[in-house]
Amino acid sequence: MDAVVETRSGRARGRPRRGVLAFLGIPYARPAEGRLRFAAPEPPEPWAGVRDCFEPGPGAPQRSAMPKWLQGIAGNPKRYGLDCLCVNVITPGVDSRRRPVLVWIHGGGFVFGAGSAPVYDATQFAREHDVVVISLNYRLGALGFAQLDSVARGGPFASNVGLRDQLAALAWVREHAAAFGGNPSNVTVFGESAGAMSIGALLGSPLAHGLFQRAICQSGAAHHVSSRDGAARMAHALLRALDLTSASAERLCDAPLPALIDAQLRASARLPAPWGLLPWQPALDDDVLPAPPLEAIAAGDARGISLLVGTNRDEYNLFLLNSAARAMDEARLRHVIARVIGPARAEEAAALYGELLPRSSPVERWSLLQTHRVFRAPAERLAALAAQHTPETYAYCFTWSPPLTPRALGACHALEIPLVFGSYRKPALRVLYATGGALSRAMQANWAAFAREGA
């Protein structure tokens, strides 16, 4: 039987789904149209009557330069639009049970993905562990992370719009969790890749205080934050890609979305960065991130927030599949190492990874170095700093790899997601994860226990 829940904006109707109730596409903010395109999110318009919440809302406007097969891991939304600021709620019941609430922040390099992707289907997780799982969308790419306020002050621009969307969604959860059978005082944020990096930033944000009590960072930490100068450089590059200046920046609010997305891609290409760097990401500002998140965490600003953080053994293998880098020779390896860590220590690093993997190919050593540099070292540093103030800090390393896949895949980036959600049973994933059932049950039990008790 359908269920109806009262929200601040109006009544929302959800539908049963294999032992749970699904409320999909509930707006937590007004559509980011016109002068709201690059502004902080505003509360949604109230609606009359009962709103049928049977389908996910649109994804944030996006078109990544990443290969289509890689985008498919995060899931491409069926439709896109500026009315993307919505949440999806999966709950075992709209009663007074006050269940733990887990809020998923999706990954996708801050440029693609949606919380409604099939791989994030939490039906089995919520049903088996009696938890409420909520996923959210946030503005991506230039729409979410072009720090236009730094180059066009006084215009309709806010900083860190993507993070402000996440903060607004978390405020919505705090207000409405009880109506959906959850406990607003027991909220766990969890995310992977750019979603985990978002959480790392939120751990250091004064505006996030009180919005969640626990955090799970899967393959992402608190390092990927731009300086003010770096963010301004990207904003200028976006303006130049559309033949605009700081004085005419407000025209971005009316630019056709396809043209804006094209400009986003051109701006990224014009500022070549070391491999692994994200051109559109959170940045230091005056209120969301007044200090680097790691500095804030080291100072104790995230004290009391239980943390679970980890990485996959072979993270970077994913980014080398079908890549020209697989033909890398020794000379090319030294060139790319020098590019990402600087020439002064490139030979030392090449020798070290040769000792670690004496019978390996250059691409295998490159993958391990990048796995350490981009994922594992940041995760270990985040865990070490958090543990100084919060004993309930845990770390993991995910080492499982599907037996039927090439050795080149290994325990790569994003491989654990279907096991956490239980979505590995879907037809498209069933063969790949045929032997993953026991591990999925173990991961879900640990994630649920952490959300319930912080341990």
Side-chain angles (χ1 to χ4, degrees):
M1 179 182 295
D2 292 353
V4 176
V5 168
E6 188 78 39
T7 76
R8 176 184 286 271
S9 302
R11 290 181 291 169
R13 179 185 286 119
R15 275 189 169 164
R17 176 200 282 180
R18 302 191 302 280
V20 298
L21 291 166
F23 296 81
L24 308 179
I26 307 174
Y28 68 82
R30 190 173 306 205
E33 297 170 342
R35 292 181 66 82
L36 295 180
R37 182 178 282 189
F38 297 95
E42 295 189 357
E45 291 279 0
W47 60 81
V50 179
R51 183 187 184 111
D52 288 337
C53 297
F54 301 156
E55 297 290 336
Q62 58 192 270
R63 189 172 76 251
S64 172
M66 295 181 181
K68 293 293 185 183
W69 62 269
L70 183 54
Q71 294 183 49
I73 292 171
N76 292 320
K78 294 180 180 178
R79 56 195 179 95
Y80 309 95
L82 292 168
D83 53 343
C84 60
L85 302 181
C86 54
V87 296
N88 308 298
V89 182
I90 306 297
T91 179
V94 288
D95 49 30
S96 57
R97 291 283 294 274
R98 295 179 69 84
R99 300 168 179 85
V101 179
L102 293 99
V103 181
W104 177 254
I105 302 179
H106 72 79
F110 298 106
V111 293
F112 69 90
S116 58
V119 74
Y120 307 143
D121 181 357
T123 299
Q124 187 266 348
F125 188 20
R127 182 183 65 242
E128 296 294 327
H129 295 279
D130 197 33
V131 295
V132 179
V133 183
I134 301 174
S135 62
L136 60 92
N137 289 344
Y138 55 99
R139 278 170 281 183
L140 300 169
L143 284 164
F145 297 97
Q147 313 300 336
L148 293 164
D149 66 309
S150 65
V151 299
R153 297 191 178 277
F157 306 116
S159 61
N160 284 309
V161 170
L163 288 185
R164 292 181 192 272
D165 291 344
Q166 296 170 15
L167 290 165
L170 287 168
W172 186 95
V173 169
R174 182 174 58 185
E175 182 177 2
H176 295 97
F180 290 92
N183 183 354
S185 298
N186 185 7
V187 174
T188 298
V189 287
F190 71 134
E192 187 268 349
S193 195
M197 295 170 190
S198 296
I199 293 169
L202 295 177
L203 286 168
S205 174
L207 301 187
H209 290 172
L211 292 179
F212 55 90
Q213 290 70 47
R214 318 190 202 286
I216 302 174
C217 294
Q218 300 171 209
S219 302
H223 284 56
H224 288 85
V225 175
S226 296
S227 66
R228 292 174 185 261
D229 288 344
R233 189 165 63 249
M234 284 307 304
H236 279 300
L238 178 69
L239 292 174
R240 287 195 301 272
L242 285 168
D243 295 323
L244 299 176
T245 66
S246 296
S248 59
E250 289 193 30
R251 289 168 55 187
L252 285 170
C253 296
D254 302 314
L257 284 175
L260 181 62
I261 301 299
D262 283 343
Q264 170 189 309
L265 296 175
R266 292 198 304 275
S268 303
R270 289 176 183 177
L271 288 175
W275 292 13
L277 189 64
L278 301 169
W280 308 104
Q281 63 181 15
L284 298 182
D285 65 2
D286 294 333
D287 58 346
V288 180
L289 293 175
L294 282 176
E295 290 184 10
I297 294 165
D301 287 8
R303 181 183 287 107
I305 297 178
S306 306
L307 177 65
L308 172 60
V309 58
T311 61
N312 299 355
R313 183 190 60 208
D314 309 305
E315 296 273 9
Y316 211 73
N317 282 2
L318 177 68
F319 305 101
L320 297 177
L321 294 176
N322 301 331
S323 166
R326 299 209 65 80
M328 181 183 295
D329 58 16
E330 295 290 343
R332 179 63 178 166
L333 174 63
R334 280 163 171 75
H335 173 77
V336 294
I337 291 176
R339 190 181 178 203
V340 299
I341 70 170
R345 305 192 70 185
E347 285 300 320
E348 180 185 356
L352 172 62
Y353 281 85
E355 294 171 11
L356 288 172
L357 298 174
R359 296 180 179 85
S360 62
S361 66
V363 72
E364 288 172 329
R365 277 172 270 149
W366 171 242
S367 180
L368 183 60
L369 184 150
Q370 286 291 81
T371 293
H372 287 166
R373 187 182 76 89
V374 179
F375 297 102
R376 190 165 304 156
E380 291 177 351
R381 194 165 296 131
L382 171 60
L385 292 174
Q388 293 176 4
H389 303 280
T390 305
E392 297 80 17
T393 299
Y394 304 89
Y396 72 86
C397 182
F398 179 90
T399 63
W400 181 84
S401 58
L404 300 179
T405 58
R407 178 185 169 198
L409 188 67
C412 70
H413 191 66
L415 192 69
E416 86 288 358
I417 294 174
L419 300 176
V420 170
F421 281 90
S423 58
Y424 71 94
R425 295 178 175 87
K426 292 186 178 295
L429 299 172
R430 195 172 294 155
V431 174
L432 182 67
Y433 288 89
T435 64
L439 179 56
S440 178
R441 289 189 292 274
M443 293 188 76
Q444 285 193 349
N446 276 281
W447 267 231
F450 179 80
R452 199 174 302 278
E453 304 291 343

